[in-house]
Amino acid sequence: MTETKVAAPVAPPEVKAKHRAMWALGDYPAVAADVIPSLGPVAVEATRIGPGDHVLDVAAGSGNASIPAARTGASVVASDLTPELLDAGRVLAAAEGVDLAWEVGDAEALPYDDATYDAILSVVGVMFAPFHQAAADELVRVCRPRGRIGLVSWTPGGFIGQMFATMKPYAPPPPAGAQPPPLWGDEQHVRSLLGDRVTDVVAHKQQLRVDAFATAEEFRDYFKAAYGPTIAVYKAIADDPAKVAALDEALVDLGRRHDLGGGAMEWEYLLFTARRA
């Protein structure tokens, strides 16, 4: 008797529409370019991307990992739910003379055949898909046997994980069944999602030094203007000045607690690589 595999639940269309719109708010391409530009190359190097590889970057945004991967000579597809981010990536890639494909795709239901790619990347991207198991299943499904998977995710205890914890009391409730994005920064959580379908796992926490902001207030104001999830939370409480003021102060306090001096901070992330079994 053949066992039928039950597909993991995925976010309903209205949730996907909200996510698509959220990431179009502000200027995430600026965040990727100005604040976290080194994360993409970290994933590309760790996953050993090179000439001849067929690579898929899931939840690619404006190409933080896709463009560095294409620079190695790999054949790259950058896939993201938000067309505006892909449009920005096309402009950036063209300016650098880098050739790759930009395609709209849902991390929980990728529009690609099984075992299509030599390597799968996602840099602080797939972690934001609401239903983690569905997204993890897709990463494995489209990867060829012995192909590589390379993920960079913010940790729960690191700066960005703590920023989401700080914003949570002010944010609308998540959809039923959705899991917090920073769980992807917990090694055991990722191992449980991928299970015995992967091997050769290497996972360790690293620090990204961020010196883009001179003060905690500057960090807060930048994220209020440029980072979609932060903008969305402020929009949800815009009619309550007391809540706005409280969140303003909470984010400044977060920035001050992580200030290493002169505004410099270290943001912790998990670098996770594996091969499909």
Side-chain angles (χ1 to χ4, degrees), residues 18-233:
K18 287 180 179 179
H19 271 245
R20 185 182 298 115
M22 178 184 72
W23 287 105
L25 295 170
D27 191 353
Y28 184 75
V31 177
D34 299 340
V35 186
I36 59 169
S38 64
L39 287 186
V42 164
V44 169
E45 181 178 358
T47 316
R48 299 179 182 179
I49 306 300
D53 281 332
H54 292 270
V55 179
L56 176 66
D57 185 7
V58 178
S62 52
N64 183 273
S66 309
I67 294 173
R71 284 197 210 104
T72 71
S75 174
V76 179
V77 174
S79 172
D80 198 276
L81 190 64
T82 302
E84 291 88 343
L85 298 183
L86 298 176
D87 290 342
R90 287 188 187 95
V91 173
L92 293 170
E96 292 194 29
V98 177
D99 185 34
L100 64 153
W102 302 87
E103 299 176 0
V104 174
D106 177 0
E108 296 177 355
L110 292 168
Y112 306 109
D113 292 337
D114 295 357
T116 300
Y117 293 95
D118 301 308
I120 311 297
L121 295 173
S122 192
V123 173
V124 295
V126 73
M127 64 180 291
F128 291 101
F131 288 78
H132 294 189
Q133 191 61 63
D137 291 350
E138 286 295 272
L139 297 180
V140 176
R141 182 184 66 79
V142 300
C143 188
R144 291 174 179 160
R146 298 299 296 163
R148 291 99 69 202
I149 296 172
L151 309 172
V152 168
S153 307
W154 302 121
T155 65
F159 181 81
I160 295 296
Q162 289 301 296
M163 186 185 77
F164 276 94
T166 298
M167 295 192 300
K168 183 178 179 179
Y170 304 91
Q179 293 177 288
L183 275 180
W184 277 88
D186 180 288
E187 178 185 345
Q188 293 309 312
H189 180 67
V190 183
R191 284 180 177 271
S192 71
L193 292 173
L194 300 175
D196 61 6
R197 298 173 297 174
V198 299
T199 186
D200 300 340
V201 170
V202 178
H204 47 90
K205 295 175 181 177
Q206 298 189 174
Q207 298 287 343
L208 172 70
R209 186 174 178 88
V210 175
D211 55 10
F213 314 108
T215 65
E217 289 83 0
E218 187 176 323
F219 144 71
R220 177 201 62 200
D221 293 345
Y222 182 93
F223 268 65
K224 284 178 69 173
Y227 192 61
T230 306
I231 296 169
V233 172

